[in-house]
Amino acid sequence: MEKTADLTVSAARHARGRGVPRRLPVLTTLCGLLLLAGCAGDSPSALNPGGAGATRVAGLWWLLFWISVAVFAEVMALLVWALVFRRGNARVRHGQPLRFVTIAGAGLPFVILVAVYGVGLRDLAALGDGPGPDAPTVEVTGHKWWWEVRYQGASGATANEIHIPVGERVKVRLRTDDVLHSFWVPQLMPKTDLIAGETRETWLRAERAGSYRGQCAEYCGTQHAHMAFLVVAQPRTDFDAWLARLDAPAREPRTEAERRGQQAFVQGTCAACHAVRGTGAAGRVGPDLSNVGSRWSLGAGAVPNDAGHLGGWIANAQTVKPGNAMPPQPVDAAQLPDLIAYLRSLE
Ligand code: CUA
């Protein structure tokens, strides 16, 4: 028994002494590659700012980065100096080490930390300085797992897509319908948590036209990863036109298939949960579908918005995004193409 224990201890020592260090570079490389995988494709980076808020955050990040680089270089230089030039020289003049430790080990870090704290406070104040009372205001409500988007002054609603005019500050009022979520557009603004029973405020401003991906940044359940949204920054005239459409009835069906689809939508189970402006469908449980045909994705970033995915979603959304609030639909196979045609026509 004792011999077995000795063997185990010896094997463990062997593993620690030889195997682990040899595997360490491989593990480090794998971790590095995993981290780099996050930089691929359309992943938005807070270090590639597109607006005033994120520019502040990126500035602070780079300041901290370069301070860290300088401190690291200084420590390494001291280490080399100690190992190469002072090796074996144990005689140190009285009083010298204490002065050095006081200045380089306590005084300098204190000055750096106070300065960084000051810069942080300045940036925090700048981020808290919201737009004026005349700024466009967007009301965003977090649901498990999608974003309801309404505009002050427009009767309609949309989902998972926020349009803003380029170069203007837009006020965003945030509420949650259920659990804690967090509103984050890395390229435009840092995170703001959505807390039950409270209305939080933030703002968005994009310096150039384009799409900026946003993401729920607080774990909120199984489909937290599929709670993405898009901020679309467009010239003021385009934004005004888009907002006007959000206030008008949805596009009328133009083909026979679209007409049949509308009828199936309004008279079937869809209308119990979804709304389409200008029709009898006025459900408020799920997203308003008045412009669903023009949206960037289905299921808040779960799948692309095309006819195939839309059909799959209608028939059984649970296979696409398990756990979401939409149950499988008993849709007639002959009705499905009409429903797809109608919903795709809503732009
Ligand atoms: Cu909502 Cu995570």
Side-chain angles (χ1 to χ4, degrees):
M1 187 67 192
E2 253 175 43
K3 201 166 184 183
T4 319
D6 277 356
L7 278 174
T8 317
V9 170
S10 153
R13 272 198 203 127
H14 182 80
R16 238 179 293 143
R18 300 194 173 187
V20 174
R22 224 180 283 154
R23 263 181 252 133
L24 203 59
V26 180
L27 282 173
T28 316
T29 311
L30 277 176
C31 288
L33 284 174
L34 270 177
L35 281 173
L36 279 176
C39 307
D42 63 345
S43 305
S45 169
L47 298 181
N48 178 22
T55 302
R56 289 261 172 201
V57 178
L60 193 58
W61 193 92
W62 283 112
L63 176 70
L64 288 171
F65 175 79
W66 288 117
I67 288 174
S68 308
V69 167
V71 170
F72 181 76
E74 185 211 343
V75 170
M76 286 301 115
L78 284 173
L79 188 66
V80 168
W81 176 74
L83 287 174
V84 175
F85 300 108
R86 302 299 295 259
R87 193 162 213 167
N89 183 1
R91 280 182 299 124
V92 178
R93 258 173 289 151
H94 195 68
Q96 222 182 14
L98 186 64
R99 203 183 314 141
F100 179 74
V101 168
T102 312
I103 296 171
L108 202 59
F110 179 77
V111 171
I112 291 173
L113 288 175
V114 168
V116 168
Y117 182 62
V119 174
L121 284 182
R122 184 203 65 183
D123 287 345
L124 202 62
L127 289 173
D129 187 18
D134 297 333
T137 303
V138 195
E139 312 264 0
V140 177
T141 307
H143 298 267
K144 284 196 314 188
W145 294 275
W146 60 283
W147 304 88
E148 181 182 343
V149 180
R150 290 175 181 276
Y151 286 77
Q152 267 183 17
S155 59
T158 185
N160 312 320
E161 208 166 291
I162 300 171
H163 287 235
I164 60 172
V166 178
E168 289 183 45
R169 285 192 182 203
V170 174
K171 193 186 286 184
V172 183
R173 291 164 64 84
L174 298 159
R175 270 185 288 262
T176 170
D177 185 44
D178 36 57
V179 298
L180 196 72
H181 302 278
S182 190
F183 181 88
W184 188 30
V185 193
Q187 287 181 276
L188 297 183
M189 201 64 183
K191 301 165 190 175
T192 306
D193 285 352
L194 280 67
I195 296 166
E198 278 186 34
T199 301
R200 312 293 303 280
E201 266 187 24
T202 183
W203 52 271
L204 296 170
R205 179 188 158 126
E207 304 307 329
R208 46 180 197 270
S211 298
Y212 302 87
R213 193 184 155 122
Q215 177 67 41
C216 178
E218 187 74 51
Y219 182 72
C220 53
T222 48
Q223 292 295 342
H224 154 73
H226 289 143
M227 192 169 167
F229 59 99
L230 208 63
V231 175
V232 181
Q234 49 196 168
R236 183 74 203 202
T237 44
D238 293 356
F239 170 74
D240 287 340
W242 183 84
L243 199 58
R245 280 204 301 281
L246 200 64
D247 207 24
R251 187 180 166 280
E252 282 294 322
R254 288 181 195 164
T255 66
E256 264 315 304
E258 289 172 16
R259 254 184 285 279
R260 286 195 303 268
Q262 187 191 48
Q263 205 175 12
F265 186 90
V266 175
Q267 291 170 359
T269 49
C270 310
C273 296
H274 295 284
V276 172
R277 286 189 308 281
T279 71
R284 289 285 294 264
V285 179
D288 185 306
L289 299 180
S290 306
N291 62 359
V292 69
S294 66
R295 287 186 201 151
W296 68 290
S297 80
L298 295 172
V303 286
N305 186 7
D306 54 38
H309 286 100
L310 181 60
W313 183 277
I314 295 169
N316 192 352
Q318 294 303 317
T319 58
V320 185
K321 190 173 174 180
N324 87 83
M326 182 161 155
Q329 295 304 303
V331 184
D332 196 323
Q335 255 178 6
L336 193 57
D338 296 341
L339 269 174
I340 295 171
Y342 174 58
L343 291 171
R344 301 270 310 149
S345 77
L346 297 175
E347 290 188 332

